[in-house]
Amino acid sequence: SLDLDSGAYRLLTIKDSSNCIKMLDSTLLIHTEPVSLTYDTMTYYCNSNFASLPIHLKGKSSWVIQLEHDGVITNVVKSNKEDSLHIQSGISRIVSIQDGNNCIVQIKDSILLNSFKQLSANVFTGMFDCNTNQKAIDLHAAGNMPLLVYGHSGAQQFTGTYVQFPQQYLLSPGTFAIDSIVDAKLCRLQNIYSAQVINDTIDVSDLFQDKFTLKTSQLSTQRYYWYLNDVLYRETAGPYVDIDRSGLYDLGIYNTNNCFLKTKKLKVDLGKMLLFPNPADDKLTVMMQFDPGESVQYFLADLTGKKILSGSLQNGKNLILLPEMPKGVYILQLMTNLNNVNYPPQRILKN
């Protein structure tokens, strides 16, 4: 056998012990470059947790590189002397390298630390606080600390530097946005979150009386809660309610932030007694405002005093259906059980 260094050889002749000479004229290419692997500094990419490790290989192509990460060994095949390895986040090491001559070299002290973390962010929103008129949001973010957070609240810009998350922001009515986040490796996320916080309000101008109906201009709700003297009077699906008694009325609604808002109180005075329409056709409405303990009877008679109709009235709205009777003038008399109350006779014109 011959021990030859790497290089190109040309075998010219061979001579035996009898001095016989044979011309060979053959060439040999000996490739015995020692197997080795060296690497440079990792390169990080903002859109991935993997790092790129430039490597330089020696030996005969191709190479099988054993990588270990979290106790799991992976074989990576490379064909070029100048190449790179993708290193996962955390701690990895190069175990060995084998070239095309099946020469294997164990690699020592090849600990690779990829501490890079892909920049990410999420925002979780809470309920609107009806007492403070604020809405809380929690910003969850991960990346290469510290993280710089840029945003604006209304026309006011803000910046924060954080190493721990989540971070909470309290949003007041108006515009709010987290515009971007930049980490220590200058990776950037943009347009993280934006919101328009609305604080609906209602006031007494949104409640008005139209004859025997209360109305509101609020149309941004599906349910209307009407109160009379601080007690729930009626609940309606439309922005109006019929009224049949005097008192202090107000309206409550749930706004877009699910806060229950009420108007100021509106005083409605229908008087002690009110009747309509007059002239009447086939029915007569009588609105009554009783005193405590009061009861009232009614009597309808013609001008000769002949009784046509009678009955009891209740506190509030009463509907009296008129029987078939000639057109003309009739007298409605109300009788109360209270000595200090007197109702004058009412002239009713029948159409």
Side-chain angles (χ1 to χ4, degrees):
S1 63
L2 296 175
D3 292 329
L4 301 175
D5 291 331
S6 295
Y9 294 85
R10 183 180 179 189
L11 301 181
L12 299 177
T13 62
I14 180 173
K15 182 170 69 170
D16 66 6
S17 59
S18 300
N19 290 322
C20 293
I21 298 174
K22 175 69 174 178
M23 303 301 294
L24 296 177
D25 195 19
S26 61
T27 59
L28 291 174
L29 181 62
I30 307 300
H31 185 82
T32 59
E33 184 179 46
V35 179
S36 68
L37 181 151
T38 58
Y39 50 82
D40 296 331
T41 304
M42 291 184 190
T43 301
Y44 302 103
Y45 301 99
C46 292
N47 59 352
S48 173
N49 281 326
F50 285 88
S52 179
L53 180 69
I55 58 174
H56 313 282
L57 300 171
K58 290 185 178 181
K60 183 179 180 181
S61 178
S62 62
W63 296 266
V64 178
I65 303 169
Q66 283 192 335
L67 274 178
E68 180 186 14
H69 181 79
D70 288 341
V72 178
I73 294 180
T74 304
N75 290 330
V76 180
V77 178
K78 297 294 183 181
S79 299
N80 301 315
K81 287 188 174 183
E82 304 296 326
D83 213 312
S84 62
L85 294 174
H86 291 288
I87 307 300
Q88 299 181 61
S89 178
I91 298 177
S92 303
R93 73 182 184 95
I94 301 175
V95 179
S96 66
I97 178 172
Q98 176 181 332
D99 74 348
N101 288 325
N102 293 323
C103 295
I104 300 176
V105 175
Q106 300 296 321
I107 307 297
K108 297 180 179 180
D109 301 325
S110 62
I111 301 300
L112 305 172
L113 175 60
N114 176 11
S115 59
F116 184 86
K117 293 183 179 180
Q118 184 179 1
L119 182 59
S120 62
N122 289 288
V123 174
F124 297 90
T125 60
M127 298 295 293
F128 187 88
D129 190 324
C130 300
N131 295 320
T132 63
N133 289 331
Q134 289 181 320
K135 180 179 181 181
I137 68 166
D138 290 328
L139 172 63
H140 295 250
N144 306 285
M145 301 298 174
L147 303 186
L148 297 178
V149 179
Y150 299 91
H152 67 270
S153 180
Q156 186 71 33
Q157 303 290 324
F158 67 84
T159 304
T161 302
Y162 308 106
V163 295
Q164 290 184 337
F165 288 87
Q167 291 291 327
Q168 187 175 84
Y169 297 89
L170 296 178
L171 281 57
S172 297
T175 59
F176 177 89
I178 299 176
D179 300 313
S180 63
I181 298 178
V182 180
D183 71 359
K185 300 293 185 181
L186 300 183
C187 295
R188 179 184 294 268
L189 290 178
Q190 292 184 308
N191 302 323
I192 310 300
Y193 175 81
S194 62
Q196 176 76 31
V197 181
I198 300 174
N199 183 25
D200 297 336
T201 59
I202 55 177
D203 56 33
V204 70
S205 64
D206 292 316
L207 189 64
F208 56 93
Q209 180 182 356
D210 181 11
K211 296 182 180 178
F212 299 102
T213 303
L214 283 184
K215 297 182 178 180
T216 178
S217 60
Q218 292 288 333
L219 302 177
S220 60
T221 185
Q222 297 180 347
R223 302 302 297 176
Y224 298 84
Y225 303 87
W226 307 89
Y227 288 81
L228 171 59
N229 299 327
D230 295 322
V231 177
L232 183 62
Y233 171 63
R234 285 177 188 169
E235 179 182 343
T236 65
Y240 52 85
V241 66
D242 292 334
I243 54 177
D244 55 15
R245 66 196 70 176
S246 301
L248 295 176
Y249 287 85
D250 56 346
L251 168 66
I253 65 169
Y254 286 96
N255 68 1
T256 54
N257 293 315
N258 205 36
C259 297
F260 191 69
L261 305 178
K262 294 182 72 176
T263 64
K264 294 180 181 179
K265 291 179 172 58
L266 178 66
K267 184 177 181 180
V268 174
D269 187 3
L270 300 180
K272 183 69 174 163
M273 188 274 292
L274 182 69
L275 60 86
F276 61 92
N278 194 10
D281 291 322
D282 57 352
K283 57 187 175 181
L284 183 67
T285 299
V286 182
M287 306 288 290
M288 299 298 301
Q289 188 69 36
F290 284 0
D291 288 346
E294 184 178 11
S295 62
V296 175
Q297 300 290 320
Y298 74 89
F299 302 92
L300 182 67
D302 60 18
L303 293 179
T304 66
K306 180 182 178 182
K307 185 185 299 182
I308 298 174
L309 198 62
S310 65
S312 299
L313 296 178
Q314 63 180 5
N315 189 30
K317 184 178 181 179
N318 298 267
L319 182 63
I320 300 176
L321 298 179
L322 301 179
E324 291 288 340
M325 53 187 190
K327 295 181 179 180
V329 177
Y330 295 85
I331 304 298
L332 179 67
Q333 181 70 51
L334 303 182
M335 304 297 295
T336 176
N337 64 328
L338 299 181
N339 295 327
N340 60 340
V341 177
N342 180 51
Y343 295 98
Q346 303 292 320
R347 293 172 61 89
I348 306 299
L349 178 60
K350 175 67 171 61
N351 285 334

